[in-house]
Amino acid sequence: MESGLTLSSLSRARAASPARKPLSLVAFAKQLGLSPSTVSKAINGRADVNAKTRARVLEAAAAQQFTPDPAGRRLRRQASDTIGFVLSAPQAHFAHPFFLDMLTGIDEALEGTPYQTIIASARSPEREMECFVRLVEQHRVDAVLFARTRRNDPRIAYLLARKVPFVAFGRSESTKAYPCIDIDHTVVGNAGCARFIALGHRRIAQITGPSDLMFTHHQRLGYRQALAHAGIAFDPALQVEDVLTEEGGARAAGVLLGQPNPPTAIVCGHDLMALGVMRMIAQRGLRPGTDVGVIGGDNHPIGALIDPPLTSFTAQTREAGRRMVQMLMASLAGTPAKQLQEVWVPELIVRSSDGPRRPALASEYRIATAKPKRERSIA
Amino acid sequence: MESGLTLSSLSRARAASPARKPLSLVAFAKQLGLSPSTVSKAINGRADVNAKTRARVLEAAAAQQFTPDPAGRRLRRQASDTIGFVLSAPQAHFAHPFFLDMLTGIDEALEGTPYQTIIASARSPEREMECFVRLVEQHRVDAVLFARTRRNDPRIAYLLARKVPFVAFGRSESTKAYPCIDIDHTVVGNAGCARFIALGHRRIAQITGPSDLMFTHHQRLGYRQALAHAGIAFDPALQVEDVLTEEGGARAAGVLLGQPNPPTAIVCGHDLMALGVMRMIAQRGLRPGTDVGVIGGDNHPIGALIDPPLTSFTAQTREAGRRMVQMLMASLAGTPAKQLQEVWVPELIVRSSDGPRRPALASEYRIATAKPKRERSIA
DNA sequence: TATCCTTTCGAAATCGTTTTCGAAAACCGG
DNA sequence: CCGGTTTTCGAAAACGATTTCGAAAGGATA
């Protein structure tokens, strides 16, 4: 059956579904006693149309809910009015609100513009490029948004070479400037580690995702900065990476805790990994947050609900989605890429997993008892 | 700045971004020494083209990566080749993989077809209809997919009246048939409750989402069926509803546990609610899974990670997304709606939250220690 | 071989919009 | 009132594909 879904069967199928024919621009124009060109110009805000005429057109359009058919518009304009948002390997992030949050922000910012978002998901990291190429070469999108940049990101190289407008969530080591917005993850590594130092820890480990991811790379740099600043020698055995999942975090923690001189605190780059870390700590007979401190990285909502509640960092994913769209519009309008680069500084959200255990409200039990009072979020 | 984003500024902006001109069908046809019509027909699988010619065309198209420009195709065909997927009130489901899973399934099934998915998110339940109307009346989509049906769903009425092809995830009380796929949530209520009865419980409560949601309604029916089957009198005070969030679950549990004769077990319609329920049980000084049994409803991945691990039901959201697309294609091809209705039976995933506490692997600690061995999932 | 039917192809119309360019109208200062 | 400038509008030509319909070629039959 799947193979029977040929292009031809699809096209013939369409004929079966009827639908009332909508108002075309020419018909609408005739109604108003104007030419199609004038109506079009009125709607599109061109200068060469009398203010009075324009008002009349817009009023009638609003009254009759008239909107120019996007199909005609697109053909003539040679633009698809469509922005592609690429999900990378969604199966790996199944329980993470990251992409959906970002998508929501994007959709919000696009409200009222003629643009729409199409999503495309890359089956695997290897097939990511494929996804971009298809979107671009088949003229399905005017611009692209995506996240999870890598240090050396072929997608960025491709889009730049192909001159496709885009905004990335995340920096890279590209020598050419491109519009992007990023969270400063050196802060996540640095401030997380520094907090443990301030709490008296000396043997502090870091668990992150794959280091070819730019944000992971930054986290690792930040961690080393904090150590250096405190005069603590960097021990490579304490900095491990694994995949960005709960299991990855657990596995990495197992490696760390199995060492002869295990760490007393672990900073994580990702909250799901932190969850796995906490699970592994418990499995080893230790108490997360008491025997071994844990700090996460991206404020997964589940972090507030577990026990001990996870100390983490603000993420602002939805706001980032919104901002990416604004930057894209600016980019399309000609603003140079150098002016379209923002780095947001995340803030620590202090809960309980990062230090000696505080008396919990219902300390006998295993599920977080209430939202911690000490939580501090950014405005 | 936001208000400066007029249609006109956008359109002029576009001119700024250049791009190599791609191969048009006429140019491609000329290359082959054929007419555009023949090439088009070859590609679209029409009958009146010689097998040899068709092979030659398809080969060349593959070699040169030629694809007919969707814009022209859409204009002529009077179809957008686009399917709308509507997210309802995403902010309420922030941490739930439901929508992203479904989206992934949809995208998978659409691979290789000329269709693409656009997503639209309804700001609030009240503005849901707005979203549908805009999508349809502005010709942005050929068909629509959506989830979370209500008992009496105006979206379904609208789409049926407007003759827009669609597939819903969830049944409703519509008298007219429409294509849909659904999980049988009476099973969630029934089997969950029955399990507690089998474990010896007699005072069993149910916490669900708002009862105007169809799946919630089914859950509530199933719960009463199980009670009736066991000859236990239904106590309305034990069946409460709240919003579909962790907080909602906690609040509802608070109400139940505050009663003079509180329940010894609680079946939930939704895993996030179950999480809140467990939190409230702990907050009341009781042990979830030991003093009060808890069963969830839709296999949120976090359920396997908490302690005690949450007994729940299979959800198969991604598979459902795939199947919805297949059914939509069938519907477009003329298959009557009555043949496009499926109800899938969820299966219990037994972990630990539903019964007397089993010895945990690292019983001192507060985070689940390992994936439970007893977990049983469907094939 | 003539006739008819089938197969295969292409010319031309069409989808609905935007845009260019020219013409008419209105306005202006002298 | 006139020449020149500015506004305002509309006719017509795109944009790139699909589809209808007719014609040519090929095959079969009498």
Coordinates of all heavy atoms in Angstrom, one line a residue, chain A residues 46 77 79 115 165 328-335, chain B residues 5-18, chain C residues 19:
Chain A
R46 N 1.7 49.5 -2.0 CA 2.5 50.2 -3.0 C 2.1 51.7 -2.9 O 1.0 52.0 -2.5 CB 2.3 49.7 -4.4 CG 2.5 48.2 -4.6 CD 3.5 48.0 -5.6 NE 4.8 48.1 -5.1 CZ 5.7 47.1 -5.2 NH1 5.4 46.1 -5.8 NH2 6.9 47.3 -4.7
R77 N 5.7 36.0 -7.6 CA 6.8 36.6 -6.8 C 8.1 35.7 -6.8 O 9.1 36.2 -6.3 CB 6.3 36.7 -5.4 CG 5.5 38.0 -5.1 CD 6.4 39.1 -4.9 NE 5.8 40.2 -4.2 CZ 5.3 40.1 -3.0 NH1 5.2 39.0 -2.4 NH2 4.7 41.1 -2.4
A79 N 8.6 33.4 -4.9 CA 8.9 33.2 -3.5 C 7.9 32.3 -2.9 O 6.7 32.3 -3.3 CB 9.0 34.5 -2.8
Y115 N 4.1 34.8 5.9 CA 4.9 33.6 6.0 C 4.2 32.5 6.8 O 3.4 32.7 7.7 CB 6.2 33.9 6.7 CG 7.1 34.7 5.8 CD1 7.2 36.1 5.9 CD2 8.0 34.0 4.9 CE1 8.1 36.8 5.1 CE2 8.8 34.8 4.1 CZ 8.9 36.1 4.2 OH 9.7 36.9 3.4
P165 N 18.7 32.8 2.9 CA 18.6 33.5 4.2 C 18.3 32.5 5.3 O 17.5 31.6 5.1 CB 17.4 34.5 4.0 CG 17.2 34.5 2.5 CD 17.7 33.2 1.9
L328 N 15.3 37.2 11.2 CA 15.2 36.7 9.8 C 14.6 37.8 9.0 O 15.0 38.1 7.9 CB 14.4 35.5 9.8 CG 14.3 34.8 8.4 CD1 15.6 34.5 7.9 CD2 13.4 33.6 8.4
M329 N 13.5 38.5 9.5 CA 12.9 39.5 8.8 C 13.9 40.7 8.5 O 13.9 41.2 7.4 CB 11.7 40.1 9.5 CG 10.6 39.0 9.7 SD 10.0 38.4 8.2 CE 9.1 36.9 8.7
A330 N 14.6 41.0 9.5 CA 15.6 42.1 9.4 C 16.6 41.7 8.3 O 17.0 42.5 7.5 CB 16.3 42.3 10.7
S331 N 17.0 40.4 8.3 CA 18.0 39.9 7.4 C 17.5 40.0 6.0 O 18.1 40.5 5.0 CB 18.4 38.5 7.7 OG 19.3 38.0 6.8
L332 N 16.2 39.6 5.8 CA 15.6 39.7 4.5 C 15.5 41.2 4.0 O 15.6 41.5 2.9 CB 14.2 39.1 4.5 CG 14.1 37.6 4.6 CD1 12.7 37.1 4.9 CD2 14.6 36.9 3.4
A333 N 15.3 42.0 5.0 CA 15.2 43.5 4.7 C 16.6 44.1 4.4 O 16.7 45.3 4.1 CB 14.5 44.2 5.8
G334 N 17.6 43.3 4.6 CA 18.9 43.8 4.2 C 19.9 44.1 5.3 O 21.0 44.5 5.0
T335 N 19.5 44.0 6.5 CA 20.4 44.2 7.6 C 21.6 43.3 7.5 O 21.4 42.1 7.3 CB 19.7 44.0 9.0 OG1 18.5 44.8 9.0 CG2 20.6 44.4 10.1
Chain B
L5 N 6.6 45.8 10.3 CA 6.6 44.6 9.5 C 5.4 44.5 8.6 O 4.6 43.6 8.6 CB 6.6 43.3 10.3 CG 8.0 42.7 10.7 CD1 7.8 41.5 11.5 CD2 8.7 42.5 9.4
T6 N 5.2 45.4 7.7 CA 4.0 45.4 6.8 C 4.3 44.5 5.7 O 5.4 44.1 5.4 CB 3.8 46.8 6.2 OG1 4.9 47.2 5.4 CG2 3.6 47.8 7.3
L7 N 3.2 44.1 5.0 CA 3.3 43.3 3.8 C 4.2 43.9 2.8 O 5.0 43.3 2.1 CB 1.9 43.1 3.2 CG 1.4 41.7 3.2 CD1 -0.1 41.7 2.9 CD2 2.2 40.8 2.3
S8 N 4.1 45.2 2.7 CA 4.9 45.9 1.6 C 6.4 45.8 1.9 O 7.2 45.6 1.0 CB 4.4 47.3 1.5 OG 4.7 48.0 2.7
S9 N 6.7 46.1 3.1 CA 8.2 46.1 3.4 C 8.7 44.7 3.2 O 9.8 44.5 2.8 CB 8.4 46.5 4.9 OG 8.1 45.5 5.8
L10 N 7.9 43.7 3.5 CA 8.3 42.3 3.3 C 8.6 42.0 1.8 O 9.6 41.4 1.4 CB 7.3 41.3 3.8 CG 7.3 41.2 5.3 CD1 6.1 40.3 5.8 CD2 8.6 40.7 5.8
S11 N 7.6 42.5 1.0 CA 7.8 42.1 -0.4 C 9.0 42.8 -1.0 O 9.7 42.2 -1.8 CB 6.5 42.5 -1.1 OG 6.1 43.8 -0.8
R12 N 9.2 44.0 -0.6 CA 10.4 44.7 -1.2 C 11.7 44.0 -0.8 O 12.6 44.0 -1.5 CB 10.3 46.2 -1.0 CG 10.1 47.0 -2.2 CD 9.7 48.4 -1.9 NE 8.3 48.4 -1.4 CZ 8.0 49.1 -0.3 NH1 8.9 49.7 0.4 NH2 6.7 49.1 0.1
A13 N 11.6 43.6 0.5 CA 12.8 43.0 1.1 C 13.3 41.8 0.2 O 14.4 41.6 0.0 CB 12.5 42.5 2.5
R14 N 12.3 41.0 -0.2 CA 12.7 39.8 -0.9 C 13.6 40.0 -2.1 O 14.5 39.3 -2.3 CB 11.4 39.1 -1.5 CG 11.6 37.7 -1.7 CD 11.1 37.0 -0.5 NE 10.0 37.8 0.0 CZ 8.8 37.4 0.1 NH1 8.5 36.1 -0.2 NH2 7.8 38.1 0.6
A15 N 13.4 41.2 -2.8 CA 14.2 41.4 -3.9 C 15.7 41.5 -3.6 O 16.6 41.2 -4.4 CB 13.8 42.8 -4.5
A16 N 16.0 41.7 -2.3 CA 17.4 41.9 -1.9 C 18.1 40.5 -2.0 O 19.3 40.5 -2.3 CB 17.5 42.4 -0.5
S17 N 17.4 39.5 -1.7 CA 18.2 38.2 -1.7 C 18.2 37.5 -3.0 O 17.1 37.1 -3.5 CB 17.5 37.3 -0.6 OG 16.4 36.6 -1.2
P18 N 19.4 37.3 -3.6 CA 19.5 36.7 -4.9 C 19.6 35.2 -4.8 O 19.7 34.7 -3.7 CB 20.8 37.3 -5.4 CG 21.6 37.4 -4.1 CD 20.6 37.6 -3.0
Chain C
dT19 P 5.5 42.6 -7.0 OP1 6.6 42.1 -6.4 OP2 4.6 43.6 -6.3 O5' 5.8 43.3 -8.5 C5' 6.3 42.4 -9.5 C4' 6.4 43.1 -10.8 O4' 5.1 43.0 -11.5 C3' 6.7 44.6 -10.7 O3' 7.7 44.8 -11.7 C2' 5.4 45.3 -11.0 C1' 4.8 44.3 -12.0 N1 3.3 44.4 -12.0 C2 2.7 44.2 -13.2 O2 3.2 43.9 -14.2 N3 1.3 44.3 -13.2 C4 0.5 44.5 -12.1 O4 -0.7 44.6 -12.2 C5 1.2 44.7 -10.8 C7 0.5 45.0 -9.6 C6 2.6 44.7 -10.9

